[in-house]
Amino acid sequence: MTTRLLLIDDDARLSGMVADYLRGAGHEVVVAGSLAAGRQQVADGSFDALVLDLMLPDGDGLDLCRELRSAPRTRHLPLLMLTARGEPMDRIVGLEMGADDYLPKPFEPRELLARVKALLRRASPAPTDDEVLRFGRLEIDLGARTARVDGKPCDLTSHQFDLLVVMAQSPGRVLSRDQIMDSLKGQPMDAFDRSIDVHISRIRALIEDDPKNPRRVLTVRGAGYVFAKKQDA
């Protein structure tokens, strides 16, 4: 089945080349050259993923990212930020705002395609797996791809949910960043940047909402992360 992508970028030459490249890989691509046009496309249609530039003529792409993550219909829309803002702090801010991935310009088209494929793969449901992992007040529903605390859904992105599952399926075991990336089926991430740290910080904020309870995801300095094995927290 053909996937439908929305590319929001005001560089007509670049967006034309990117769109052609993605179409050549079998994707349907809709291009919008401004925030206003992108908002209209999102409102009028349905997309499997969004590739979003940040520096647009009528505003900041971060504002649109914030809007999408606050709306129920687009809260889990896979989103890749594609931008000339390549500094580590820009990447951290983008991920904290809800982006699933972040690719600075200039970029290699094959890497962009690989990252889009990874986004779509992680967003695909796994209908044959209806297992629910339970850790006290926390439930992780693998089939529904939803984490709940006291029955209330946690607002995790698709990528953050996958990170949580990787750790929760190995409770009590320290996982290095390399092991986490290997478990994410080749998702293109840099083990030495703070991408994983930012996402895990967000996961903690959502599943560890009671300060009276012990932390569920622990940092092991110099080694990685461990999901607390204790079940009665």
Side-chain angles (χ1 to χ4, degrees):
M1 183 176 66
T2 302
T3 54
R4 194 162 188 255
L5 310 176
L6 175 59
L7 170 62
I8 304 177
D9 195 314
D10 65 319
D11 187 330
R13 180 174 176 274
L14 176 63
S15 59
M17 291 189 298
V18 169
D20 287 344
Y21 187 82
L22 294 174
R23 287 172 184 140
H27 302 288
E28 178 184 348
V29 183
V30 175
V31 178
S34 66
L35 278 181
R39 285 190 179 98
Q40 191 63 51
Q41 288 290 345
V42 171
D44 292 343
S46 177
F47 297 92
D48 297 293
L50 168 62
V51 179
L52 174 66
D53 189 14
L54 294 187
M55 294 182 288
L56 294 160
D58 55 343
D60 194 323
L62 288 173
D63 294 331
L64 179 58
C65 180
R66 185 185 299 109
E67 294 169 16
L68 296 176
R69 289 304 180 237
S70 64
R73 189 172 75 89
T74 56
R75 183 169 296 155
H76 301 294
L77 175 67
L79 191 156
L80 183 150
M81 289 184 176
L82 184 67
T83 175
R85 297 180 188 172
E87 294 300 317
M89 185 52 65
D90 293 320
R91 182 179 304 184
I92 291 169
V93 171
L95 294 171
E96 288 181 336
M97 292 294 294
D100 295 289
D101 203 355
Y102 193 109
L103 182 61
K105 298 176 182 179
F107 58 90
E108 165 61 48
R110 288 175 296 180
E111 181 179 5
L112 171 62
L113 178 60
R115 288 174 181 261
V116 168
K117 286 182 176 179
L119 281 182
L120 295 169
R121 183 172 60 245
R122 295 198 303 270
S124 299
T128 59
D129 193 349
D130 58 357
E131 182 181 0
V132 177
L133 306 178
R134 292 182 172 85
F135 301 89
R137 301 165 58 238
L138 173 66
E139 292 183 347
I140 304 172
D141 190 327
L142 302 183
R145 293 184 59 79
T146 301
R148 297 181 292 267
V149 174
D150 291 337
K152 181 179 179 182
C154 300
D155 188 18
L156 297 169
T157 67
S158 177
H159 172 51
Q160 289 162 0
F161 178 83
D162 288 338
L163 273 175
L164 176 60
V165 170
V166 167
M167 294 183 290
Q169 287 180 328
S170 300
R173 178 186 172 193
V174 178
L175 298 177
S176 68
R177 289 174 176 78
D178 287 338
Q179 288 172 317
I180 291 173
M181 287 189 296
D182 288 343
S183 298
L184 290 174
K185 302 178 182 178
Q187 175 197 348
M189 290 181 66
D190 184 351
F192 300 102
D193 69 27
R194 292 190 55 198
S195 297
I196 291 180
D197 305 278
V198 172
H199 284 301
I200 289 180
S201 176
R202 174 63 176 165
I203 291 169
R204 283 171 169 157
L206 291 171
I207 71 172
E208 300 173 354
D209 63 340
D210 187 348
K212 295 181 181 179
N213 284 331
R215 301 199 74 171
R216 180 64 67 187
V217 181
L218 308 176
T219 301
V220 180
R221 188 177 297 275
Y225 298 98
V226 59
F227 190 88
K229 195 171 183 178
K230 188 175 180 181
Q231 300 282 314
D232 59 354

